[in-house]
Amino acid sequence: MENSSTKKIKRIMIITLSIIAILSIAVYSFMQQPKFGKLPGGERLETIKKSPNYRGGKFKNLRHTPDLTEGETILSVLWDFLITKKPRLKPIDNIPSTKTDLLKLDPSKDILVWFGHSSYFIQIDGKKILVDPVLSGSVSPISYISKAFKGTDPYTTDDIPEIDYLFITHDHWDHIDYETLLKLKSKIRKVICALGTGEHFEYWGFDKNIIIEKDWNEKIILDSGFIAHTTPARHFSGRGFIRNKTLWTSFILITPTMNLFIGGDGGWDTHFSEIGQTFGEFDLVILENGQYDKKWKYIHMMPEEVLQAAFDLKAKSLFPVHSSKFAIANHPWDEPLSEISRLNKNANLKLITPMIGEQVNLKDTTQQFSQWWKGIK
C-alpha cells in the first residue's frame, strides 16, 4: 500500500501537471488570434526555400548574430527587466506633440511627419508613403502591456490619407500593428515588404496583387522615377515563439529628386558601408536609435553606432527613430535623443529631431529642431 507521503507527492504532481496543461492550452488558444499572423506556407514557402538567406529552415543574417552579447544569459536579462531599478524608463509628464493635417497637405510639398517610435509618413514628389505604422497605442499582443507614453498618440487611422506605398521592414509587434493595418486596409495601394511577411497581409485579407514581397538585394520599379531596393539588416523576426520564418530588411527609396534610406531595426555591421558604397550618398537616412542595450548590441545599435552607420551610408542628414513612445528596453526614455545629440556635436551631421506630428520639410536644409525632450520629467 502507498504511504501518505507518496500519495501527497502524487497529488502534487497531478496538480502541477494539470496547471501546466491548462496554461499550455490557454497560451495556445490565445495565440490562435488573427493578430499573431500566419507563418509562410505553400508557394510562398517554396520561394523562401530558394533564398540564399534562408538556411536550416530559418532566415539568417549575413554574419553570425547572437541574440545576446557574450557573457549574457536570459537570466541576466530577466533580472534587469524584473529586478534592477530603472530610473526614468517612462516619462511622468505628457510628451509634447503637434498635429500636421495630413489630409489637407499641399501635394507639391515634400515633407515627413513622425508618429513616434518607428512610424512615419512621407510625402515626396507627389507620392504618399507610410512606414511601419503603429497607431493603436500598444506594441504587445496584450493591449495593456507596452503602452504608448502619454501624449504620443495624437494621430489615429482616420488622420491618414490614401497611401501609395506602405513599407514594412519586419514583422515585430512594434512595426506591424494588426489593428492599425486593418483600419488602413482600404487606403493602401501597394505593400512593400520582405520575403514571408506577405503571408500576414494575405491572412488579414489584403489583396495579394498589391503585395510586393522581395528578398535582399532586389530592385522594385514602383513608378516613373520611383525605385526601391531591398537591402540587408542585422536583426530577427517573429510574432510568437517561432523566429526568423520571415525576412527583415532595410530599404532604399529613390524618387525623382531624393535618395532615402529606410533602416528598420538592426545592429551595426559592414552592410552599412557596402550599401553606402553602392547607393550613397543619401539625402536622408532613417535609422533606429532606441531600445538598445549592451546585452543585445548585435541586434540593436548603440547611439555611437547609429552615428557611425550614418557616415557609412554617406548620409547628408540623419533622422533617428525607435524612441520616445514605448519602453521596450532599460534606458531612460529620453537617452536616445539626448545621447545622439551629444555625440553629434563633434560630428556635425544634420540631425532631424522633430516632435511627434511636426512637419519636417525634406528639402529645407536650414530647418531647425528644438531639443523638445529637455525638461520633461
Side-chain angles (χ1 to χ4, degrees):
M1 294 180 64
E2 294 180 323
N3 58 37
S4 60
S5 62
T6 302
K7 288 181 179 178
K8 186 176 181 180
I9 290 170
K10 281 190 172 181
R11 283 199 300 272
I12 291 171
M13 288 180 64
I14 290 169
I15 291 169
T16 301
L17 290 172
S18 298
I19 291 172
I20 292 171
I22 291 168
L23 287 174
S24 298
I25 292 168
V27 169
Y28 176 81
S29 299
F30 179 74
M31 292 182 66
Q32 300 314 299
Q33 295 177 86
K35 60 186 173 183
F36 282 89
K38 188 178 180 183
L39 295 178
E43 291 183 12
R44 179 175 276 107
L45 182 56
E46 293 307 310
T47 299
I48 285 171
K49 288 177 179 178
K50 297 173 185 175
S51 168
N53 304 303
Y54 188 83
R55 303 182 297 278
K58 292 184 177 181
F59 283 106
K60 305 282 188 179
N61 284 295
L62 293 176
R63 290 205 295 175
H64 177 58
T65 302
D67 291 337
L68 299 176
T69 307
E70 294 86 349
E72 299 294 342
T73 65
I74 291 294
L75 287 178
S76 68
V77 171
L78 286 174
W79 180 271
D80 262 4
F81 266 110
L82 301 175
I83 306 298
T84 303
K85 189 175 181 180
K86 299 176 282 291
R88 303 186 66 252
L89 185 65
K90 300 178 182 179
I92 298 171
D93 298 337
N94 275 27
I95 296 290
S97 66
T98 185
K99 194 168 182 180
T100 300
D101 191 340
L102 304 181
L103 300 175
K104 296 180 180 178
L105 287 176
D106 180 342
S108 68
K109 299 291 185 182
D110 299 310
I111 72 158
L112 180 150
V113 173
W114 182 46
F115 304 131
H117 202 65
S118 291
S119 305
Y120 47 94
F121 167 89
I122 300 172
Q123 178 178 276
I124 186 165
D125 295 325
K127 298 292 186 184
K128 292 179 170 61
I129 295 158
L130 198 58
V131 179
D132 291 354
V134 177
L135 301 174
S136 68
S138 174
V139 287
S140 167
I142 303 171
S143 61
Y144 56 84
I145 295 177
S146 297
K147 294 192 71 172
F149 301 155
K150 292 180 294 184
T152 61
D153 263 334
Y155 285 90
T156 72
T157 52
D158 291 337
D159 299 310
I160 306 299
E162 296 284 326
I163 297 298
D164 295 291
Y165 307 125
L166 169 67
F167 284 89
I168 297 292
T169 61
H170 63 296
D171 70 359
H172 283 158
W173 292 82
D174 57 326
H175 294 260
I176 285 187
D177 182 46
Y178 171 72
E179 182 179 324
T180 298
L181 291 173
L182 280 195
K183 290 178 179 178
L184 289 176
K185 188 191 301 184
S186 63
K187 298 182 178 182
I188 295 168
R189 295 172 184 166
K190 288 287 181 185
V191 178
I192 299 99
C193 59
L195 282 181
T197 309
E199 190 79 38
H200 298 311
F201 283 86
E202 283 194 49
Y203 178 55
W204 294 332
F206 281 74
D207 182 352
K208 66 179 181 180
N209 294 313
I210 73 167
I211 301 169
I212 301 174
E213 189 175 1
K214 296 293 184 180
D215 203 348
W216 288 339
N217 302 313
E218 294 202 70
K219 179 179 180 180
I220 306 163
I221 298 175
L222 296 169
D223 203 343
S224 177
F226 284 84
I227 299 170
H229 295 266
T230 48
T231 43
R234 193 181 193 189
H235 201 49
F236 66 105
S237 66
R239 294 178 70 78
F241 296 125
I242 300 173
R243 287 185 169 191
N244 300 346
K245 295 293 186 179
T246 64
L247 186 60
W248 48 99
T249 193
S250 56
F251 295 101
I252 291 158
L253 176 60
I254 300 170
T255 81
T257 62
M258 295 194 78
N259 196 15
L260 310 178
F261 180 77
I262 298 169
D265 282 2
W268 182 88
D269 206 349
T270 55
H271 64 282
F272 286 116
S273 60
E274 291 163 5
I275 293 167
Q277 289 293 330
T278 304
F279 295 100
E281 60 186 3
F282 288 97
D283 298 293
L284 173 66
V285 300
I286 304 165
L287 295 172
E288 67 140 82
N289 176 50
Q291 321 320 315
Y292 51 74
D293 195 298
K294 289 182 179 179
K295 288 179 169 59
W296 52 82
K297 67 178 183 179
Y298 296 113
I299 53 176
H300 284 293
M301 288 187 284
M302 304 298 289
E304 61 272 16
E305 293 176 314
V306 176
L307 206 56
Q308 180 60 55
F311 284 112
D312 291 343
L313 290 163
K314 301 181 180 179
K316 294 180 182 178
S317 58
L318 164 65
F319 175 28
V321 298
H322 213 236
S323 73
S324 307
K325 190 167 185 174
F326 304 104
I328 312 176
N330 296 318
H331 55 67
W333 75 269
D334 57 349
E335 182 183 278
L337 289 176
S338 61
E339 187 64 7
I340 196 75
S341 298
R342 182 188 69 80
L343 291 167
N344 190 53
K345 285 181 180 178
N346 293 328
N348 203 30
L349 187 66
K350 173 68 175 176
L351 203 59
I352 310 295
T353 56
M355 284 193 300
I356 290 173
E358 182 177 357
Q359 180 173 309
V360 177
N361 301 314
L362 288 171
K363 294 174 182 174
D364 182 357
T365 59
T366 64
Q367 186 177 8
Q368 299 295 311
F369 301 94
S370 67
Q371 294 192 333
W372 57 264
W373 55 90
K374 288 190 172 182
I376 298 173
K377 296 178 183 178

